Structure formats: C-alpha cells, structure tokens
Amino acid sequence: MSAEGSSIEAVCVADPRVKVQNLKKVFNPKSVAIVGASSEPGKVGYQVLNNVIKNGFKGKIYPINKKAREILGVPSFPSLLDCPTDVDFVVIAVPAPMVEGVLKECAQKNVKGAVIITSGFSEIGKKKEEQALKDVADQYGIALLGPNTFGFVYTPSNLNASFGPQNVSPGKVAFISQSGALGISLMGWTMMEKIGLASVVSLGNKADIGEKELIEYFNDDPNVSVILIYMEGIKEGRQFMTTKIKKPVVILKSGTSSKGAQAAASHTGSLAGSDKIYTAAFNQLGMMRARTFTQAFGAACALSMPAPKGPDSLIITNGGGIGVSATDECENSGIKLLDDPAWLEGKFRPTMPEFGSTKNPIDVTGGGGREGYQKAVRVALNEERIHSVIVLYCETAVLDPVEVAKAVIDEYNAVKRNKPLVVTMVGGERSRQAIQILNENQIPAMTEVREAVSGLKALYTWQEISSRSKEKVVTQEAPVKALAVIDRVRQEGRTFLLEHESREVLEACGVPMPKWGFATTADEAVKVAEKTQMYPVAMKIASVDIIHKSDVGGVILNIKNAEEMQAKFNQMMETVKKNAPNANLLGVNLCQMVDGLQCIVGMNKDPQFGPAVMFGLGGIFVEVLKDVSFRIVPFSEQEAARQVSEIKAKKLLDGYRGQGAHKESIIKTLMAVQKIAEYVKEIDINPLITNKDGSYAVDARIII
Ligand code: ACO
C-alpha cells in the first residue's frame, strides 16, 4: 500500500511500540515543518511558527504556505514535498478539509511525527474524518498527536510547537492535558509559580497517541522524572490497563458520571459508577490520583525529589497553629513523625530560643530568625535518623520569608539535596515571592500545608508502588464445570442462574462455600442436611419465576433439626404457592447458617474497562455506606489484598470489638470470581460472611 502518488511503502504500523518509538521524532526532531504557517499575527499558524522560532529551537524550521516565500524571516515552501531536506516532525494548522491531504504528504515525505492542531473532527461528530487520519497514521507509522490540540512544548529540545504561551521554565515534570484550555491556563500558572516543566502536551481528540503511548515514551526519557496527567476520560480502558509504569504518574481526573451504573441490575453494577472504576484502574496501575491541580503539581514537584531512606519525618515551623495543622495532615495521610523527645531535645535545643519547642514539630518560634531556621534545617538535613523534612513558615514582621527561602536553599544545596524537603509559606506578597524562589530552585513550595504534606505522601506512596514490580498477574482459567453450567442455562434461554446453579459455578471456581445443598422434597431436604451435618440451616425457595424470595415467604432461617425441616419445607411450599400461584417451584436451596461480618463480592462489566470485581461491607451496609472498592480483571493476589484494605471500614476487617475477617479467603474469593468474569454479565455474592475461621458465600447470584 502507498499514499496517493507516493513511492513510500506503508509499514502498516498500528503497532503501538512503533508509535512510541516515533514519538522521539516529535520531541527531539532535527527539522520541523509548520503547514499553515502564516504572516498574519492573529492566526494560529503564525503563533506556532513564532513560538518555534522564539523558543530557540536549534534544528531546521520550514514554514509551509502556498503563497508566501518567507515568514518571520524564515524561507517558506509551498508544500512539504518542496522542503529541501528530510522533515522529522510536522505541525498541521490548516482548515479541517485539508488536513488528510497534508497528512498524506507527510507519509510521502516519510515524516514519522505530526501534531494536528486543527479542530472540527470527532469533537463535533466527524468521526469518519478523524478515523481517516488515524488510518493514514497507522499505515505509515506516524506518531500522531491530536487533532484538536494546542500542540506541545518540550523544554529539553527548546521546542514550543504550540500556540500557547512562550518561555515555559525547564524542569522534570511532563504535563499531559486532555483539555486544551486548561492545559494552556495551567502552563501560565506554572510559569507564574516558577514550576519547571520538561513538557506540556495537549492530547486533543487522541485519535492516535493517547496517555498510554506518552507515558511509555516518557518512561525512557531521562529528561522526565514525573508524569502529570489531566484526564477527562479514557477511550480504550482495557488498553490503558496495559500501560507500563516506570516513573511516578500523578492523575487529575474530572467527571464522575454514573451512566454505566444506572444500566446495571445488580448491587455491584449500581455501586460501580465510572469514577470508582477509574479510581480502581489508577490504583491498580500504580498511578497516584490528585483532587486539585495545586495538589497535583505539588505532588509532581515533590516526586522530583530524592526518595526518602526511611519513614521518619520532621516538621520545622515558626508557628504553633500551622505546626498542629501539619501534624494532623501527616497523621491523616499516614506520614510518620519522628517521635523521640529526648533525642530531638539534644539535637534541636541549640537551634532555638529558650521558649522554642523541640517536640516534633520543631518550633523555632517567631524569635528564631533566619539563623534559627537555618540551624534547624541544617540539623534536620544532616541527621540520618530524619528521613524527610517539612518546613513551614508563617509570615511575620520580624522575619522576611525570602530570607527563610534562601536559608533553606543554601542548606539544601550544601547537603546535595540528600532527602526530600517540602515547604509551605503562608503570608502575603513576600511569601509568594519566597515560594517562587524555592520552586525555581526545585524545592517544592506551596501556600497550603495540606499540599506540602500530600506531596511528601506521594513520595512515600511511589516507594511502595515501585516495590510492586515483581508481582505477577496470572490470567485465571475458567473451570470446565463452571462453563458447562453457564452453557446449559444459556441454552435454556435464561439470562440468570438459580442460586444452586450460581453456587455450582462459583464453587468450581474456588469461591469458599458454607455447607449447602438442593432438595425437591421435604424428605430429600432432611437427607441433605443430615448427610452434611448442616444444621442450623437457611432454606430458600428455588424458582425461575421468583426474584424477591422473602416477599413471597420463600426464605426461612435457622432451621435446627429434621423435624423442623419437614414442617418448614411444607409450610414454605404452601405459603409461596399462595403468594405466587403462577410460579413454577423447583425445590429449595439449603445452606448452613454462618455468623460473622457481612461482606459483598461482586463483578460487573464496565463499558470502558471490561470486567471489574467489587469488594466491600455487605448486607444492609452496602446500601447505606457504599463502602466498596473495585479492581479491573485481571489482577494479582497482592492487588486483591490492597483492594480489601482500601475500604474505609478496614478496621472492622482487622478485628474490632470481636469482629474479624478471614482475609485469605476473601482474597481467594476475589481471585476466584475473575475466572468466569469474561463469561457472565454480573455476579453478586451478598453476603460473603467472614469470621476468624473463613469466609462463606451465603447467597450468590449470577446474570449472564
Ligand atoms: N498548504 C500550505 N498552506 C496552506 C494550506 C496547505 N494545504 N492550506 C492552507 N494554507 C495556508 C493558508 O493560505 C493560510 O495562510 P495565509 O494566512 O498566508 O493565507 C494558512 O495556511 C492558514 O490557513 P487558513 O485557511 O487561513 O486557516 P486559519 O488560520 O483561519 O485556521 C486552523 C486554521 C487554525 C487550523 C482552524 O481551522 C482551526 O482548527 N482552529 C481551531 C484550532 C484549535 O482551537 N485547536 C484546539 C486547541 S485546544 C484548545 O481548545 C485551546
């Protein structure tokens, strides 16, 4: 295959690895062409060319314009094909109807990277037109950003291929934004805050290159140490789940739509909602989620710091209130404060006035002055027992915040940035300036205590995430017996399994069951219960026509012996026949009564991510508290363990006031339901009762 009139062979490369490789041409090109470059300052094509030139790009620059011979002092060419040398990367800023033709010229010119700034594609329903661009990019292995983007900036190669602001400060953070407008405004904000960036990429419609490809490219880019993503949604959830994470990724995700949830029939479905699934996906991939952009940038900057060599953190402050607030934040986010009063007194007393406090927070007080801060910071940085440092400052008339900032910078540089250090400065104009000076010197500084602490927390979280690399995800095979039951039900034309069928399937998968059985007569019920020593027993009616069993008298609990079993069986049959005269009664499900904490395990299908497994507190709690966590199939045993410990009520699972859970069997259940996740629509095990001896699927429902 070849592009129209082209002799370049298509390499057919929808292969994402080739696209990732070719992103090198996008970020580090030797030559750049801007198709649609214009001499009119109001036009996008002018702004992009101007940015490329003014930002000091060292390679060849080719403005492409049908009429002009020179734009902004640079010789211009009527077409890409007229460029005198190879072109590595092309910016396309011509009206939508022309874009496909220009992209085909890129193919002819053997260009491997392009960004389409032009709007007017899938965002206004023109999906076919956008697909045509993707097809050309795939045929010729072009790494294609956009369309509908403002372009990108990559500071290591001095390339500003955008119509956003100029002079982005260099740094180590790559910022990927799905929103163009927000991307541009945050570029401006980072410049004001003096936060350095390695790159800002506007994703636009993500016809080709998306988050996954960029993360995987920046994984191997030594100029990037942290990736920050503003995301609205993911097109291909399953593909996104295959993203390899080698560097810290911070995600700011907007939108909490629960459309998927409305359509679902089961508990699991109604609790899913896309935001919970996104949270699951991020946790599972090892991405860290931020809730505000200041928190996101705070975390990204902190993540550029050296890793802490241990858990013990130290707070240095000049104000008691702000110190307490930081202590609270540390406790809430699980940051451990070094707690050795005698040792701290010995080390820090010489750094402060009599009335200062050497408990952690170290309070150098308003009277400490620049020297007090400097000495305290020096001790904190030089003592190996202190693994991370939080410096707080409240503006006072006696101490200039800029002086404090300079003291911190001097001390930090003197120890060659040996441990993480974050700063919060609260005050007016001078504090603002001090924050900017710190950020310029790659010391993360913020106006809020919470953000400084959550930045530090991100570093600790990343350490934990990095240690997961050896975990293996093994795809769980579906047992033949389980598939046979599902097939049989499908052939009968039913969309749901009866309880005993659900039990057969789940038991075959390895879900732990209480003693259970199925009986069609009272005598048979007695036999089943006696044979397995099942008493006390719960009895439930089995009928394809009855969904809410209790409503028709189809549930009797705590049957203690054979005599009761006989009587209750007959009583249930009579009552149900009266309440549901048209129902075909197949028999009863019998199940041993179990005591313990009621949990829920479920599975449903997310439109983007596919099967997702839920865990949480069950029974009535699930309706009221909705305290559940999700994971996307497939996931590892270690991931299941993290899922279990993610619910708010995890203390109950650890054993609170006599309650307690058998975590191993809960994890076993989460692993087991994965085996049939691809073959059914929804699973509800509610409740899964857990106690110190084990966990038991007391009720089970499968929809196919
Ligand atoms: N080859 C060479 N030159 C060409 C070609 C071609 N195939 N086609 C057009 N040109 C020239 C034009 O002659 C013109 O040059 P001139 O000014 O010397 O006459 C120049 O390229 C631009 O073409 P225009 O037709 O003038 O197009 P205009 O600049 O008005 O619009 C644009 C093009 C900017 C791509 C527009 O179609 C568009 O999509 N705008 C929206 C961009 C956007 O917002 N993107 C999303 C950003 S993210 C966010 O929301 C912030």
Side-chain angles (χ1 to χ4, degrees), residues 255-266:
T256 53
S257 144
S258 55
K259 266 190 197 148
Q262 287 160 14
S266 68

Side-chain angles (χ1 to χ4, degrees), residues 118-131 133 146-148 204-207 235:
T118 314
S119 303
F121 292 92
S122 66
E123 83 281 6
I124 56 159
K126 296 207 167 173
K127 292 193 178 157
K128 236 174 51 206
E129 288 78 354
E130 189 163 303
Q131 185 56 44
L133 305 179
N148 190 32
N205 295 356
K206 299 194 270 190
K235 276 184 176 172

Side-chain angles (χ1 to χ4, degrees), residues 31-327:
S31 48
V32 173
I34 298 100
V35 183
S38 168
S39 313
E40 276 186 49
K43 288 197 177 179
V44 167
Y46 173 92
Q47 292 299 340
V48 176
L49 177 61
N50 193 39
N51 275 352
V52 173
I53 296 169
K54 293 264 169 66
N55 217 70
F57 175 66
K58 297 282 184 300
K60 292 191 179 72
I61 303 172
Y62 297 122
I64 309 293
N65 182 292
K66 288 265 179 264
K67 298 161 288 181
R69 287 296 150 259
E70 173 255 289
I71 304 176
L72 284 163
V74 182
S76 164
F77 299 87
S79 140
L80 260 181
L81 304 176
D82 300 315
C83 292
T85 66
D86 285 347
V87 176
D88 283 339
F89 164 62
V90 173
V91 183
I92 302 177
V94 295
M98 264 86 103
V99 170
E100 190 186 340
V102 173
L103 198 60
K104 284 182 173 165
E105 285 184 359
C106 289
Q108 277 180 271
K109 188 80 184 156
N110 203 19
V111 170
K112 291 299 174 208
V115 55
I116 300 174
I117 292 200
T118 314
S119 303
F121 292 92
S122 66
E123 83 281 6
I124 56 159
K126 296 207 167 173
K127 292 193 178 157
K128 236 174 51 206
E129 288 78 354
E130 189 163 303
Q131 185 56 44
L133 305 179
K134 164 79 173 147
D135 290 345
V136 176
D138 282 351
Q139 268 180 10
Y140 297 96
I142 300 170
L144 180 68
L145 272 165
N148 190 32
T149 115
F150 69 74
F152 71 89
V153 178
Y154 185 69
T155 55
S157 54
N158 294 324
L159 181 57
N160 185 337
S162 82
F163 63 93
Q166 288 173 14
N167 304 324
V168 172
S169 322
K172 288 283 197 180
V173 177
F175 171 39
I176 300 166
S177 180
Q178 193 172 350
S179 155
L182 195 75
I184 289 188
S185 40
L186 287 179
M187 256 163 105
W189 179 80
T190 54
M191 283 154 75
M192 195 183 75
E193 296 290 318
K194 308 282 185 215
I195 294 172
L197 297 172
S199 187
V200 184
V201 185
S202 162
L203 281 174
N205 295 356
K206 299 194 270 190
D208 182 34
I209 296 296
E211 292 86 351
K212 175 182 155 70
E213 292 77 17
L214 284 171
I215 291 170
E216 291 181 353
Y217 178 76
F218 288 133
N219 271 342
D220 296 323
D221 181 345
N223 297 309
V224 170
S225 56
V226 183
I227 300 162
L228 194 164
I229 301 177
Y230 170 78
M231 176 188 284
E232 279 159 5
I234 283 283
K235 276 184 176 172
E236 304 279 347
R238 287 194 182 209
Q239 217 198 342
F240 181 67
M241 290 310 292
T242 63
T243 308
K244 289 191 178 56
I245 306 288
K246 291 193 201 162
K247 288 181 181 164
V249 178
V250 179
I251 292 241
L252 185 61
K253 158 91 179 60
S254 62
T256 53
S257 144
S258 55
K259 266 190 197 148
Q262 287 160 14
S266 68
H267 273 299
T268 312
S270 62
L271 287 161
S274 67
D275 199 56
K276 283 209 163 93
I277 300 291
Y278 273 105
T279 302
F282 299 151
N283 286 345
Q284 201 166 325
L285 282 169
M287 297 178 173
M288 291 167 273
R289 190 163 185 185
R291 296 287 163 182
T292 63
F293 69 84
T294 45
Q295 193 187 39
F297 277 98
C301 293
L303 284 158
S304 310
M305 308 230 93
K309 295 197 179 86
D312 289 319
S313 197
L314 184 96
I315 301 171
I316 298 170
T317 181
N318 65 340
I322 192 174
V324 172
S325 155
T327 308

